[in-house]
C-alpha cells in the first residue's frame, strides 16, 4: 500500500507513516492528480511484474471488502481485460444536495449493471489496472496517444480517468465494472463546489474528445455529448413551454400529459428504489430533480461555451477536497 501525498498541508504523511504504509511525497508537482500519479508510477512500475496489477484510488473513497477479490477474478479469467473499475456511490450526508448526487450516482450504477459492467469511463475513484496496460499506454504517448512519452497519465487532461479510458480503449484493451466492485466516494456539500467539480468533469470530457478526434473508439462518446446537448435544448424548451402555458392560457387537465407525467415519475422513482425511502421521496415530486438536471445541463452549456471561445481550462480545488 502506497500513499501519495501531493502538496498536503495536513497530517497525511504523519498519519499514513504511523499506520505502517509506504508514503511518497511529490516533488514540484504542478500537474495535479495526473502529475502525482505519474511521479508515483515512475518509481513503482519498473519493479513490477508484467502480470501484476495496481489498484489506483482516491483518498476520499472507500472500496467494499470484496472489491479486490472480484477484480482479480475478472482479470485472471480474461486476458483482454485491461482494467476493472469500480461502480461509485455517494457517501451519506450533505442534506438535499447530497441526496441529489446519490440519486444521480444510483442511476449511473444501474445503467452500468444493465449493460453487464460495460463502462464509458474507468472511474478514478478506484480501479484495478494491469501493469502491462499501463506500460503500453506510456509507450504509446505522443505516438498513437496524446501526452508525454513515458507517462502513464496525460497531465494536460482535466479528467485523467476519462482520458486514460480512451487511451486503453484506443490500444484495444477491454474494461469492465462488475456490480460487486462498489466504491463509496465523497460528495460536494455546496452548490459552488459542485459547479466547479462538474465543470471540470464536463470540460475535461470535451477536451479529451477534441484531442482524440473522431475514431471508432470515440464515436460513441461523441454521440453521448450530442445526446446531452439535445437533452439540454429539449428540457429548456419544455420548461419554457410550461411557463408560457401557465401565463397565457393557464393550467388545464389533459389526460395524455398526466399519463406521460405519471410514467416519467414512475421511472424516476424506480431507478433509485434501492437507495431507500429518502431517494424515492426526493424523486417522487419530480420538480426538485428537474431543477437539478437543469443545473447539470447549465454546466454543459458553460463548458461548451468555454471550449468554443478558447477560455483557459483549470482544475478548481474545492475547499472540501482532501489533501
Amino acid at each position: 500500500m502506497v500513499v501519495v501525498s501531493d502538496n498536503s498541508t495536513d497530517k497525511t504523511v504523519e498519519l499514513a507513516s504511523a499506520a505502517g504504509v509506504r508514503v511518497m511525497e511529490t516533488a514540484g508537482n504542478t500537474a495535479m492528480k495526473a502529475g502525482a500519479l505519474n511521479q508515483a508510477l515512475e518509481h513503482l512500475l519498473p519493479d513490477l511484474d508484467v502480470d501484476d496489477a495496481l489498484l489506483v484510488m482516491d483518498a476520499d473513497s472507500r472500496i467494499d471488502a470484496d472489491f479486490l477479490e472480484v477484480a482479480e477474478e475478472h482479470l485472471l479469467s480474461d486476458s483482454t481485460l485491461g482494467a476493472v473499475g469500480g461502480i461509485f456511490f455517494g457517501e451519506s450526508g450533505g442534506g438535499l444536495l447530497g441526496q441529489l448526487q446519490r440519486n444521480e450516482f444510483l442511476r449511473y450504477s444501474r445503467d452500468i449493471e444493465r449493460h453487464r459492467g460495460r463502462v464509458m469511463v474507468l472511474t478514478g475513484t478506484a480501479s484495478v489496472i494491469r501493469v502491462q496496460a499501463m506500460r503500453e499506454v506510456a509507450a504509446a504517448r505522443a505516438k498513437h496517444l496524446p501526452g508525454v512519452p513515458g507517462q502513464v497519465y496525460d497531465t494536460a487532461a482535466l479528467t485523467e480517468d476519462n482520458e486514460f479510458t480512451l487511451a486503453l480503449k484506443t490500444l484495444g484493451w477491454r474494461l469492465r465494472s462488475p456490480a460487486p466492485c462498489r466504491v463509496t466516494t465523497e460528495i460536494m456539500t455546496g452548490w459552488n463546489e459542485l459547479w466547479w467539480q462538474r465543470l471540470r468533469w464536463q470540460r475535461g470530457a470535451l477536451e479529451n474528445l477534441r484531442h482524440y478526434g473522431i475514431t471508432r473508439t470515440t464515436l460513441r462518446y461523441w454521440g453521448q455529448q450530442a445526446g446531452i446537448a439535445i437533452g439540454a435544448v429539449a428540457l429548456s424548451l419544455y420548461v419554457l413551454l410550461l411557463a408560457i402555458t401557465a401565463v397565457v392560457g393557464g393550467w388545464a387537465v389533459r389526460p395524455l400529459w398526466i399519463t406521460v407525467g405519471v410514467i416519467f415519475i414512475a421511472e424516476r422513482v424506480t431507478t433509485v428504489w434501492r437507495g431507500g425511502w429518502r431517494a424515492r421521496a426526493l424523486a417522487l415530486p419530480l420538480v426538485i430533480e428537474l431543477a437539478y438536471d437543469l443545473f447539470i445541463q447549465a454546466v454543459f452549456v458553460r463548458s461548451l461555451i468555454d471550449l468554443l471561445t478558447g477560455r483557459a481550462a483549470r482544475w478548481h480545488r474545492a475547499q472540501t477536497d482532501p489533501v
Side-chain angles (χ1 to χ4, degrees), residues 46-188:
D47 297 328
L48 296 176
D49 239 12
V50 68
D51 294 328
D52 286 337
L54 281 173
L55 165 67
V56 179
M57 66 177 294
D58 290 341
D60 61 3
S61 302
R62 303 184 305 276
I63 58 175
D64 277 11
D66 57 350
F67 185 106
L68 291 176
E69 181 181 356
V70 173
E72 183 182 27
E73 288 175 357
H74 278 78
L75 289 173
L76 289 174
S77 63
D78 187 352
S79 62
T80 68
L81 205 59
V84 174
I87 299 180
F88 56 89
F89 299 83
E91 64 184 4
S92 60
L96 174 64
L97 183 57
Q99 190 60 58
L100 284 166
Q101 293 169 79
R102 283 190 289 275
N103 279 16
E104 179 187 12
F105 295 165
L106 276 169
R107 293 190 177 97
Y108 179 68
S109 67
R110 188 173 183 271
D111 287 342
I112 294 176
E113 292 174 13
R114 286 167 63 87
H115 287 88
R116 298 181 180 180
R118 187 175 65 178
V119 290
M120 293 289 286
V121 179
L122 187 69
T123 176
T125 57
S127 292
V128 180
I129 309 166
R130 287 188 189 274
V131 166
Q132 180 185 350
M134 284 186 162
R135 288 173 176 165
E136 287 185 12
V137 168
R141 293 289 183 199
K143 298 176 184 176
H144 310 296
L145 302 173
V148 178
Q151 292 187 347
V152 176
Y153 290 93
D154 183 8
T155 55
L158 283 173
T159 46
E160 86 295 326
D161 52 357
N162 184 73
E163 193 282 332
F164 188 64
T165 301
L166 293 176
L168 288 172
K169 288 188 174 183
T170 298
L171 296 180
W173 288 101
R174 295 173 59 252
L175 311 173
R176 281 289 180 271
S177 287
C181 289
R182 294 169 56 98
V183 189
T184 303
T185 192
E186 182 189 36
I187 55 170
M188 298 294 102

Side-chain angles (χ1 to χ4, degrees), residues 231-243:
V233 172
L235 184 57
S236 300
L237 290 176
Y238 173 69
V239 173
L240 180 62
L241 178 61
L242 287 179

Side-chain angles (χ1 to χ4, degrees), residues 154-235:
D154 183 8
T155 55
L158 283 173
T159 46
E160 86 295 326
D161 52 357
N162 184 73
E163 193 282 332
F164 188 64
T165 301
L166 293 176
L168 288 172
K169 288 188 174 183
T170 298
L171 296 180
W173 288 101
R174 295 173 59 252
L175 311 173
R176 281 289 180 271
S177 287
C181 289
R182 294 169 56 98
V183 189
T184 303
T185 192
E186 182 189 36
I187 55 170
M188 298 294 102
T189 55
W191 288 100
N192 186 57
E193 289 81 7
L194 180 64
W195 172 268
W196 285 108
Q197 181 199 57
R198 297 309 174 88
L199 194 63
R200 177 173 64 84
W201 288 4
Q202 185 59 64
R203 177 68 184 273
L206 292 172
E207 291 280 1
N208 294 157
L209 289 178
R210 183 170 66 87
H211 292 153
Y212 275 81
I214 300 177
T215 66
R216 290 182 61 184
T217 298
T218 62
L219 195 59
R220 186 181 174 205
Y221 292 84
W222 282 108
Q224 182 190 49
Q225 296 302 317
I228 294 174
I230 293 171
V233 172
L235 184 57

